[in-house]
Amino acid sequence: MKTAAVLLLLVIALGMLCIPVTAQDTGPRLVVSEYRLDPGVLMRDDVGVLTVRLTNSGSEPATINSARLNGVEIQVRQNPYTDSLPIGPGDTLTFTYPVRTEATDGLYYVKFTVDYREGGMLRYSIPVEVDSTPLRILVETPDFVTQGTKGTYRVVVGNPRPNDATAITVIPEGEGFLITPSSSFIGTLEPDAQSSILFTVVPLRQSFIRFRVNYKNGINAHTATVTLPLDPSENRFTPDLALTNIRVTAGAGYLRIAGNVSNVGLSEARAVTLTTGGEATPADPFRVFTAGIIEPDSSRQFEVTFRAPSPVSVVPVLIAYKDAEGTAYADSLDVQFDRDTLAQQATEPSRFITLLVWMLVIVVAALIIYTWRKG
Amino acid sequence: MATSPLTMLVNPNAFFGRNPTEWEALRIPALIMLAAAVVAGAMAYLTTGLVARIMPADVQAYQGVMLIAGTASALIFTFLIWAVWAAVFFVISLAFQGKGSFRRTLAVTGYGYLPMVIGNLLSLALLWVALPGIRVTPVSGMDPGEIQAVTTALMHQPALLLAGLLGIIFLLWAANIWIFGIRYARGLSLRHAAITVGIPVGLFILMTVWNLGVFT
């Protein structure tokens, strides 16, 4: 009999534990009908908004004295609900609390406590998950990174977090290269989803390239970066032009630089043009000399004509050309000359004139001899 | 055929050997001298422009005046020198008992200028092409020594030397015409006529060569 009484008490006690959280059996019955944390999972130092919905499922109205949220690892930044609030039977009240955490990854609880006038107290524990795992960035690089040559970099952004990451942008940073596009927008990534972006990079010199991924967890901005060394090998298959056999001569009212332009590179040079720069003013007939295509190991004669003020004795010859991919190259070579010698040349009679003079001498001599024989 | 001045260029003996009344008129010689004066004026215009460029900046302001003066001088001096050459030939030929009027000597001298007109036209073309390319450095002041040095350097320019050489060649041609002309104008032997013309022309050529700086 005694044993049966103990078992009965236990059954009753267990039965009481299974009853939903209520203020009391009769009168008002307050229950937490819903709660939501935004963002669903906090990262360290994040601010979130916890929304709790309280429903009176009883038959009597109740008056709430206060509704508080408390936590240890999760700090509640404001508890604004300290005034009396009536809640009728079947009604629902919504309470929002800003929360923040500095905790390490884990599952923590905040306690929602409602004190109401009808003599009851509601306590309800709400779980809050903290996970500071950032977005993952994977960069697929081209097989060969060559100076001055385009290469495609594939940036893959993955979301290993248990909740959505929003407003995701990828921004390349660094110097010593040209890159397109300058940034790219991904938007929202669901958990375990990924997205990839292609960037075209032309390395100009040895440097670093950093891909910065900006994203948001709720209202909190976060950044993930990955930095890669940019160590381009010298492009061994570019055209390379050299000027040889340079001669500077004087023409009628202009100076002329002539010589050979040779392709000492391993690929053809296209759209090769030469002109003078610096203080020289290009002049007709060859303001710009167009050499066209020059195959590797071949050369072409060129000449450029220009005028230059008296003190100038050095003039740069500017060479512009492109490779097969259309990448533009520019080079220059300073050409030095002696203006006095050139001035002398400019006024020096040509061989034709000298020959003409000698012919005149012969003609006049012949005339004189002829007239004397006649006389 | 023998009356053509062109015949005179290649066969002066036949041209002047005719009756003197056929060539002693001064109309054609005067026209030849006018042509010579115009060409000389043009050459003077070019060379004065070059000389003006070596002058100091304040003097260069009067470049226009210098050009007009240089051109006008050349025009006037051409006619003056015509008379001087004729006078010299006339006077030297007196030593060989030369007869004939000064008018005839003047006519012969004028005809003889025709080769020099051709020569000066060639020189003019040469200077026209070459002078703009000559680089000159203006003198710093009016120091006569400095101006002389720069002018001498200028005269050594190949184009100017060549123009001088052309002048000598065509002067020799002219001298050849003068010899035959003087022979008939003054009634001299060919030898005496050659001496009459050769002495002043030779001296003139020596002076020209000296001025060109060939001996310096």
Side-chain angles (χ1 to χ4, degrees):
Chain A
M1 185 64 191
K2 193 177 180 181
T3 305
V6 170
L7 283 172
L8 182 63
L9 282 172
L10 276 173
V11 168
I12 292 169
L14 284 170
M16 288 178 73
L17 281 174
C18 293
I19 293 169
V21 180
T22 57
Q24 58 185 41
D25 292 340
T26 58
R29 276 181 63 189
L30 299 184
V31 293
V32 173
S33 55
E34 186 187 357
Y35 61 85
R36 192 179 74 250
L37 179 64
D38 183 26
V41 178
L42 293 176
M43 296 174 76
R44 188 172 184 148
D45 295 328
D46 271 4
V47 172
V49 176
L50 183 63
T51 304
V52 183
R53 290 169 68 83
L54 186 70
T55 302
N56 181 2
S57 59
S59 56
E60 297 291 332
T63 301
I64 295 169
N65 292 326
S66 66
R68 293 179 177 277
L69 189 71
N70 295 298
V72 179
E73 295 86 358
I74 309 297
Q75 296 102 46
V76 180
R77 306 185 79 178
Q78 279 182 307
N79 261 310
Y81 306 104
T82 53
D83 296 332
S84 295
L85 283 171
I87 179 169
D91 288 351
T92 298
L93 290 177
T94 301
F95 302 91
T96 56
Y97 301 90
V99 295
R100 183 176 181 277
T101 182
E102 293 178 355
T104 55
D105 290 3
L107 187 63
Y108 304 97
Y109 287 89
V110 289
K111 189 163 284 183
F112 179 61
T113 308
V114 179
D115 174 22
Y116 59 102
R117 191 172 298 166
E118 284 69 23
M121 180 81 85
L122 170 66
R123 291 190 181 85
Y124 191 80
S125 293
I126 299 172
V128 174
E129 186 179 355
V130 177
D131 186 341
S132 298
T133 306
L135 296 188
R136 296 280 184 239
I137 309 167
L138 174 72
V139 181
E140 294 174 13
T141 60
D143 294 337
F144 299 101
V145 181
T146 311
Q147 188 171 350
T149 304
K150 290 176 185 173
T152 301
Y153 283 66
R154 181 185 178 90
V155 179
V156 181
V157 180
N159 183 10
R161 293 184 51 73
N163 64 322
D164 289 356
T166 59
I168 302 171
T169 55
V170 183
I171 302 168
E173 296 174 342
E175 293 178 347
F177 55 85
L178 304 173
I179 190 165
T180 51
S182 57
S183 68
S184 189
F185 182 73
I186 292 176
T188 299
L189 272 184
E190 293 177 353
D192 295 329
Q194 69 175 38
S195 181
S196 60
I197 305 291
L198 298 180
F199 288 94
T200 302
V201 178
V202 181
L204 302 177
R205 56 180 166 82
Q206 193 174 35
S207 66
F208 291 89
I209 182 167
R210 179 187 300 114
F211 291 100
R212 178 183 296 278
V213 176
N214 293 330
Y215 61 98
K216 282 188 171 182
N217 185 38
I219 61 170
N220 307 282
H222 293 274
T223 294
T225 60
V226 63
T227 303
L228 303 173
L230 197 62
D231 189 11
S233 58
E234 189 179 347
N235 192 348
R236 293 167 295 174
F237 297 97
T238 57
D240 188 9
L241 298 184
L243 302 184
T244 55
N245 194 25
I246 297 292
R247 303 175 304 281
V248 184
T249 53
Y254 58 78
L255 298 175
R256 175 196 295 111
I257 297 175
N260 294 337
V261 52
S262 307
N263 185 356
V264 294
L266 294 178
S267 69
E268 66 179 18
R270 296 184 178 184
V272 179
T273 59
L274 298 100
T275 187
T276 49
E279 295 181 71
T281 306
D284 288 328
F286 293 107
R287 291 171 182 271
V288 177
F289 186 88
T290 307
I293 297 175
I294 303 178
E295 299 289 338
D297 294 331
S298 61
S299 64
R300 185 160 298 179
Q301 288 188 336
F302 78 93
E303 67 174 290
V304 287
T305 47
F306 64 98
R307 291 191 183 88
S310 294
V312 176
S313 59
V314 177
V315 164
V317 175
L318 309 179
I319 316 159
Y321 54 100
K322 293 179 178 177
D323 63 13
E325 293 180 343
T327 306
Y329 298 85
D331 205 350
S332 72
L333 175 78
D334 284 345
V335 175
Q336 206 160 13
F337 53 88
D338 181 354
R339 290 200 69 99
D340 290 334
T341 307
L342 291 175
Q344 193 83 352
Q345 281 179 7
T347 56
E348 219 160 68
S350 66
R351 285 185 176 182
F352 172 74
I353 293 176
T354 309
L355 189 68
L356 199 68
V357 169
W358 280 111
M359 282 174 66
L360 279 172
V361 170
I362 292 166
V363 166
V364 170
L367 269 172
I368 292 170
I369 292 167
Y370 172 78
T371 50
W372 278 81
R373 282 194 173 172
K374 281 261 184 181
Chain B
M1 178 66 185
T3 58
S4 166
L6 292 177
T7 307
M8 180 258 310
L9 287 174
V10 292
N11 192 359
N13 191 40
F15 183 83
F16 292 112
R18 296 173 298 155
N19 188 339
T21 54
E22 293 181 32
W23 50 262
E24 68 181 357
L26 288 176
R27 192 171 59 86
I28 293 175
L31 283 173
I32 292 171
M33 290 313 298
L34 181 63
V38 169
V39 176
M43 288 176 67
Y45 181 86
L46 291 179
T47 48
T48 307
L50 181 66
V51 171
R53 279 158 57 192
I54 67 169
M55 293 298 167
D58 49 346
V59 178
Q60 283 190 21
Y62 301 100
Q63 189 178 4
V65 177
M66 291 167 72
L67 286 172
I68 291 168
T71 308
S73 301
L75 284 167
I76 295 164
F77 270 94
T78 303
F79 285 99
L80 200 62
I81 288 169
W82 177 24
V84 169
W85 276 116
V88 168
F89 296 150
F90 191 85
V91 169
I92 294 174
S93 64
L94 287 175
F96 304 113
Q97 285 80 45
K99 293 179 286 233
S101 65
F102 181 72
R103 177 195 173 93
R104 283 184 187 174
T105 307
L106 199 62
V108 165
T109 310
Y111 276 115
Y113 251 89
L114 188 57
M116 286 200 282
V117 173
I118 299 168
N120 283 350
L121 275 173
L122 289 174
S123 296
L124 182 65
L126 181 70
L127 293 177
W128 180 269
V129 171
L131 288 195
I134 294 178
R135 185 166 158 251
V136 295
T137 309
V139 294
S140 53
M142 290 304 290
D143 176 20
E146 188 186 1
I147 292 174
Q148 176 66 33
V150 173
T151 308
T152 304
L154 204 60
M155 289 300 131
H156 285 189
Q157 291 288 334
L160 292 177
L161 285 173
L162 195 60
L165 184 62
L166 280 173
I168 291 171
I169 292 168
F170 284 89
L171 177 60
L172 286 172
W173 191 357
N176 189 55
I177 293 168
W178 283 336
I179 288 169
F180 288 96
I182 293 295
R183 176 189 182 188
Y184 292 106
R186 298 287 287 158
L188 301 176
S189 67
L190 190 60
R191 183 165 167 268
H192 286 159
I195 293 169
T196 301
V197 173
I199 289 172
V201 168
L203 287 173
F204 184 83
I205 289 172
L206 276 176
M207 194 178 71
T208 305
V209 170
W210 184 268
N211 281 342
L212 286 174
V214 175
F215 300 130
T216 58

